[in-house]
Amino acid sequence: MSESGDPMDVTNRVQLPESEGGQAEHEQGPRLAVRQSRDEPEVQREVVFDVRDVSNYYGDFRAVRNVTLPVFRNEITALIGPSGCGKTTFLRNLNRMNDLIEGARIEGELLYHGVDLYDPQVDPVEVRRRIGMVFQKPNPFPKSIYDNVAFGPRIAGFTGNMDDLVEESLHRAALWDEVKDKLKESGMALSGGQQQRLCIARAIATRPDVILMDEPCSALDPIATQRIEDLMLELKHRYSIVIVTHNMQQAARVSDRTAFFTVEVHEDSGQRTGTVVEYDKTETIFTNPSDKRTEDYVTGRFG
Amino acid sequence: MAGVSIEARPAGTSLSVSDLRLKMGRRRREGVVRRVFFAAALVSVLINVLIVVTLFDGTWDFLSRVELRLLWTDGWFPRRDMYDIRTIVAGTMVVAVVAMVVATPLGLGAAVYLAEYASRRARRWLKPILEVLAGIPSVVMGFFALIWISPNIMQSFFDAGLFSLGAAGIGVGILITPLVASVAEDAMFAVPGSLREASYGLGARKRATTIRVVFPAAVSGIVAALILGISRAIGETLVVAIAAGGTGGSLFTIDPRQQGQTMTAAMTALATGSDQVKGATLAFPSLFFVGALLFFMTLGLNVMSERFVRRVRKSY
């Protein structure tokens, strides 16, 4: 299942990037496991999202402020942080899902392959066809498994062979073998983990470039969670993934880069605004963070 | 929270069954309360039973005395002992069909607007207005049908007379539109927002989301709304009594431009005496017969809609 180059190291050992594939220099303390990094040199990957000083507002209320971070192609970028720190709000900027909320707007610049996503000429529907989304709670339509997967291509006017597309999408979501004999049955009849993989297959079927995942495993048991994580590692070879997670181990296990969000409470107004404290390679965030708040969070002293 | 301290009970040193026993007085009081509420529930059941018994008693009286061939003649003229069932059933159907032709697009359109398109503020204004509309007395709608709908729509566009089944049907349609809209809107509003998000997330527009996701997910509730509408249209009385004509009886017709008689209007005519049933032999008992017929039709429709509503609840 998992790519041979990505062993799922869930021990308490930490391997620093400098170590030459052998035993790690040991970092002590309650640090979290970090996925072993291959010794390939840091290649400059293509930037998918270039987020520059983006803030989110709901009416006058500023929910997220001044986020600047690049998201790279074929990487998994994790957004972690305590509840209410704006991770999800930020994630939903990336495919303009916040447009659906009355009174929501953003400031700053958000480039997607160099194009300003919030240019007035940009159609959010076209954006969402390229940038798929998987939600916190599995939300298959009350339709057959087949129709769930075929939904996106159908509304986009897909004219090719739908059967092949559905099969391919289910294969990539590692669900085909479990559902190939019951494609006409309701997607709601599947287990939670299967439903979430169905939602991933549904997102893949529109042939996206990026997949956004908003705590995709929070409603799932550990075994289903592991399957989704394996799947994400598989999928990143084709797609770029941005994932919001409450689960630090998950971020450590799957992501290449991690952004740590926190929430600031304004002393006079009591308003809570989320912002990014630190954004770096996942190993660095979990083993050698430069900000005290990040360190407190990843070592479990807060949040 | 001044000075309230809750001590932990001392651990099971001297606990006996009598400490946990239900006290007699309390048990008796609970029993009395239970019986009072049971009686209240029973009254509504008893009233229903009473209605059914009365209805069937009268129906039996009528059916055992009437010549059966009189149930299938040229029209509904109780004074002349002509009790053609087809006439009043057809009249009822014409009114119900016209009403649904009006209420389905208007009601579902309003429901879609309220559930999917209206801003929160628009919704806050429109929903109560819709509900006020549902409270229009049917006698008002009856006069509206006769005085406005009949001349402005039926007479000028369809070459109908002053009284027509069509005018009554349109009036009934307007009357049930809020009901259809309200029930359908509830069903669509109950579709989880997560399904809409999923749809938008896949690059669907509002229209595709409404038609391909919300509508199918709410279909049982929407069908239930339509069935309730039909059932209400069949049962509506005053609008037809005022605007459909046919007070003294009617020949068989399925033409909405004609005067006609529906089951409820026929019953009204009989019951209020405008048919001068006094002294006539079977006119009065025929009222019960029509009532029983109506009872079964609406019962069947309500059971059907109840099934659909239950299916809606099951799917989430």
Side-chain angles (χ1 to χ4, degrees), chain B residues 69-91:
Chain B
R69 64 174 181 85
L70 295 175
L71 299 179
W72 202 271
T73 58
D74 300 326
W76 176 265
F77 295 100
R79 264 182 293 174
R80 287 179 231 157
D81 269 345
M82 290 165 73
Y83 307 102
D84 182 42
I85 303 171
R86 294 176 311 155
T87 303
I88 52 173
V89 170

Side-chain angles (χ1 to χ4, degrees), chain A residues 96-166:
Chain A
R96 295 194 54 171
M97 282 299 272
N98 286 331
D99 289 25
L100 302 172
I101 299 168
E102 264 178 68
R105 67 195 163 84
I106 80 162
E107 277 175 12
E109 201 176 16
L110 208 166
L111 303 179
Y112 168 63
H113 293 297
V115 177
D116 181 2
L117 267 190
Y118 285 80
D119 187 291
Q121 288 180 27
V122 168
D123 179 0
V125 168
E126 286 300 328
V127 172
R128 294 182 202 127
R129 285 179 185 168
R130 288 171 173 76
I131 304 170
M133 190 156 197
V134 176
F135 297 85
Q136 189 169 353
K137 212 177 123 238
N139 55 357
F141 299 125
K143 299 172 185 283
S144 71
I145 292 167
Y146 185 99
D147 286 341
N148 262 281
V149 179
F151 181 88
R154 272 183 190 145
I155 55 171
F158 177 73
T159 49
N161 187 326
M162 187 66 83
D163 290 355
D164 289 349
L165 180 62
V166 168

Side-chain angles (χ1 to χ4, degrees), chain A residues 92 97 100 102 123 125 128-129 131-133 135 139-143 151 154-155 188 202-203 206, chain B residues 118-121 194-205 208-209 212-213 216-217 315-316:
Chain A
R92 294 164 64 104
M97 282 299 272
L100 302 172
E102 264 178 68
D123 179 0
V125 168
R128 294 182 202 127
R129 285 179 185 168
I131 304 170
M133 190 156 197
F135 297 85
N139 55 357
F141 299 125
K143 299 172 185 283
F151 181 88
R154 272 183 190 145
I155 55 171
M188 316 265 289
R202 186 174 66 180
T206 61
Chain B
S119 68
R120 208 175 298 172
R121 193 190 308 171
S194 63
L195 292 185
R196 291 186 186 86
E197 281 205 321
S199 174
Y200 291 128
L202 290 163
R205 288 176 202 281
T209 302
R212 291 177 182 245
V213 177
S315 56
Y316 304 118

Side-chain angles (χ1 to χ4, degrees), chain B residues 66-148:
Chain B
V66 75
E67 266 183 84
L68 288 179
R69 64 174 181 85
L70 295 175
L71 299 179
W72 202 271
T73 58
D74 300 326
W76 176 265
F77 295 100
R79 264 182 293 174
R80 287 179 231 157
D81 269 345
M82 290 165 73
Y83 307 102
D84 182 42
I85 303 171
R86 294 176 311 155
T87 303
I88 52 173
V89 170
T92 305
M93 288 304 160
V94 169
V95 168
V97 166
V98 172
M100 291 317 286
V101 165
V102 172
T104 304
L106 283 182
L108 295 190
V112 166
Y113 175 74
L114 281 174
E116 302 300 316
Y117 287 86
S119 68
R120 208 175 298 172
R121 193 190 308 171
R123 203 181 127 83
R124 214 170 34 230
W125 280 98
L126 285 171
K127 194 102 207 271
I129 290 176
L130 197 72
E131 270 145 25
V132 166
L133 211 64
I136 291 181
S138 53
V139 63
V140 173
M141 185 53 73
F143 277 107
F144 180 71
L146 186 62
I147 282 162
W148 197 89

